[in-house]
């Protein structure tokens, strides 16, 4: 009973006060890929320095409730010796952890992926809980193209998400359940909506079958949008309407919060779309519509830092600004003017 209430309290806190999550859980290969694009050295020390920059951003907790770390990061320290996890907790930011071990080629389904990481997960979660981590994330990847996604891919990924979520709750960690329908491809808004709805319905079926307490979890979905190469792009309002309508059909009201991934959208676009959803629907929704962005919060700051010690403060300023803009979007108070003011 105690544990149940703790899960509920943590999940609610993660979406309280119009704050959101900062995803900084890139695996080493993904982090290195982002560094390589900017000629930043792809070393453990460079990754540590970047993550130190993020978590020491002054007043980050004004708009960030929780940060999702990676296994390497969760064991790292500030150069003054303070563990990163302690820095976050002292700043009032709840530490979380990515626990899947990546999306791997799916047997018999050449263009599709299945996320791995269930083996030994109970023991890993126990260790993270001991370290003060209070929530976890697992990402399933669903690609769209002619003939896919298959039911095999959707069901296998949904079941893995549900088994992960059940193990998290057993360990006292709030599961952030992330089924990502990718933006790559020429699919239309309507096609994305149809697939996202099918994926979400299957995920919530499986969460029910596995006995996951919906009040003690967060959903991290994609926004419903046309594929990147679709010839017919959509307006802010079209994306907002399609996304909210899809979620209303498929996400139970017991879920306290929905925190979107950014999925490669430009930072300002992700913010504007979140703003449009809250502006048009907030008063009618059973759950909070929040954010759990990685690229849409980090990338502009990374572009500013580019590995240079004398750019640290400017990069932190950019990071703080993006987090603030996303908080404003939760309040339907985001305006592109905020971007110009920040430049000035
Ligand atoms: P993006 O916001 O860059 O999509 O990352 C979110 C995330 O955590 C991916 O798993």
């Amino acid at each position: 009973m105690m544990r149940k209430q703790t899960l509920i309290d943590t999940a609610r806190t993660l979406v309280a006060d119009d704050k959101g999550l900062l995803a900084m859980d890139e695996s080493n290969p993904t982090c290195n890929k982002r560094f390589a694009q900017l000629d930043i050295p792809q070393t453990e020390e460079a990754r540590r320095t970047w993550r130190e920059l993020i978590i020491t951003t002054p007043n980050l907790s004004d708009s960030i409730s929780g940060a999702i770390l990676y296994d390497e990061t969760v064991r790292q320290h500030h150069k003054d010796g303070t563990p990163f996890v302690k820095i976050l907790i002292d700043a009032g930011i709840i530490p979380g952890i990515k626990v899947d071990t990546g999306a791997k080629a799916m047997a018999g389904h050449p263009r599709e992926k299945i996320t791995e990481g269930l083996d030994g997960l109970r023991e890993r979660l126990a260790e993270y809980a001991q370290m003060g981590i209070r929530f976890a994330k697992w990402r399933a990847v669903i690609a769209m193209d002619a003939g896919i996604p298959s039911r095999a891919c959707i069901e296998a990924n949904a079941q893995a998400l549900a088994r992960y979520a059940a193990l998290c709750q057993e360990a006292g960690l709030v599961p952030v359940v992330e089924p990502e329908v990718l933006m790559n491809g020429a699919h239309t808004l309507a096609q994305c909506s149809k697939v996202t709805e099918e994926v979400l319905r299957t995920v919530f079926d499986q969460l029910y079958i596995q006995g996951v307490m919906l009040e003690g979890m967060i959903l991290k979905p994609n926004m419903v949008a046309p594929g990147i190469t679709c010839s017919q792009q959509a307006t802010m309002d079209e994306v907002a309407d399609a996304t909210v309508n899809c979620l209303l059909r498929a996400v139970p009201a017991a879920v306290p919060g929905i925190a979107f991934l950014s999925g490669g959208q430009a930072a300002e676009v992700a913010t504007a779309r979140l703003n449009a959803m809250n502006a048009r629907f907030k008063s009618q929704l059973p759950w909070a519509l929040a954010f759990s962005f990685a690229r849409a919060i980090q990338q502009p700051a990374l572009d500013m830092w580019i590995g240079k010690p004398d750019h640290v403060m400017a990069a932190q300023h950019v990071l703080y600004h993006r987090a603030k803009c996303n908080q404003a979007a939760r309040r339907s108070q985001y305006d592109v003017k905020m971007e110009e003011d920040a430049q000035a």
Side-chain angles (χ1 to χ4, degrees), residues 23 25 137 139 178 180 220 261-264 292-296:
D25 61 329
K137 187 199 93 172
R139 172 173 175 256
E178 181 181 13
E180 176 175 6
K220 175 165 175 168
L261 60 94
S262 58
S292 175
F293 298 156
R295 281 165 288 181

Side-chain angles (χ1 to χ4, degrees), residues 30-50:
T30 302
C31 188
N32 290 344
K33 190 169 81 185
R34 309 241 194 281
F35 281 11
Q37 286 160 349
L38 296 167
D39 282 327
I40 301 166
Q42 293 114 64
T43 61
E44 176 173 355
E45 180 52 21
R47 291 190 297 272
R48 194 203 63 75
T49 305
W50 172 238

Side-chain angles (χ1 to χ4, degrees), residues 73-88:
T73 319
V74 96
R75 301 171 196 285
Q76 286 175 327
H77 300 73
H78 190 282
K79 56 183 163 337
D80 73 7
T82 315
F84 279 176
V85 172
K86 180 171 174 3
I87 292 176
L88 285 167

Side-chain angles (χ1 to χ4, degrees), residues 20-305:
L21 306 180
L22 168 54
M24 47 182 291
D25 61 329
E26 297 84 3
S27 64
N28 291 346
T30 302
C31 188
N32 290 344
K33 190 169 81 185
R34 309 241 194 281
F35 281 11
Q37 286 160 349
L38 296 167
D39 282 327
I40 301 166
Q42 293 114 64
T43 61
E44 176 173 355
E45 180 52 21
R47 291 190 297 272
R48 194 203 63 75
T49 305
W50 172 238
R51 267 74 182 247
E52 178 179 302
L53 180 159
I54 294 175
I55 66 171
T56 58
T57 295
N59 306 314
L60 191 61
S61 68
D62 288 353
S63 46
I64 297 297
S65 57
I68 315 174
L69 308 177
Y70 180 61
D71 185 73
E72 177 182 89
T73 319
V74 96
R75 301 171 196 285
Q76 286 175 327
H77 300 73
H78 190 282
K79 56 183 163 337
D80 73 7
T82 315
F84 279 176
V85 172
K86 180 171 174 3
I87 292 176
L88 285 167
I89 293 170
D90 289 350
I93 295 175
I94 302 176
I97 179 83
K98 181 233 299 293
V99 297
D100 67 71
T101 55
K104 308 287 163 62
M106 188 169 170
H109 295 81
R111 293 170 294 160
E112 299 189 290
K113 293 194 163 159
I114 176 72
T115 300
E116 296 187 346
L118 288 170
D119 290 355
L121 182 56
R122 172 176 278 133
E123 292 71 25
R124 288 194 289 133
L125 290 171
E127 188 198 1
Y128 291 137
Q130 279 264 313
M131 295 168 84
I133 303 290
R134 288 169 52 199
F135 71 104
K137 187 199 93 172
W138 176 293
R139 172 173 175 256
V141 182
I142 311 291
M144 286 186 67
D145 200 349
I148 62 169
S150 64
R151 271 315 287 176
C153 172
I154 295 174
E155 287 191 23
N157 275 295
Q159 198 201 38
L161 275 169
R163 290 182 58 199
Y164 136 83
L167 282 161
C168 285
Q169 291 191 335
E170 179 190 88
L173 271 64
V174 167
V176 174
V177 173
E178 181 181 13
E180 176 175 6
V181 178
L182 296 175
M183 294 193 334
N184 306 55
H187 53 268
T188 63
L189 179 72
Q191 287 168 327
C192 180
S193 176
K194 187 162 180 285
V195 168
T196 301
E197 182 176 344
E198 181 180 353
V199 168
L200 292 175
R201 284 182 182 279
T202 310
V203 167
F204 280 100
D205 265 3
Q206 288 292 330
L207 291 169
Y208 174 68
I209 291 169
Q210 298 301 329
V212 173
M213 182 187 46
L214 301 185
E215 293 84 349
M217 66 163 274
I218 300 290
L219 177 70
K220 175 165 175 168
N222 50 287
M223 296 184 190
V224 174
I228 300 170
T229 53
C230 177
S231 57
Q232 192 166 3
Q233 288 301 312
T235 64
M236 289 296 160
D237 288 353
E238 284 168 344
V239 168
D241 290 9
T243 303
V244 170
N245 285 326
C246 179
L247 295 170
L248 280 171
R249 286 187 216 115
V251 183
V255 173
I258 297 177
F260 292 103
L261 60 94
S262 58
Q265 302 171 79
E268 295 173 17
V269 172
T271 307
R273 286 173 168 174
L274 181 63
N275 189 75
M277 286 181 226
N278 280 302
R280 291 165 77 78
F281 300 103
K282 187 172 187 170
S283 63
Q284 307 161 45
L285 301 177
W287 6 253
L289 283 187
F291 55 92
S292 175
F293 298 156
R295 281 165 288 181
I297 293 181
Q298 286 186 54
Q299 195 62 47
L302 187 65
D303 293 343
M304 174 62 74
W305 177 55

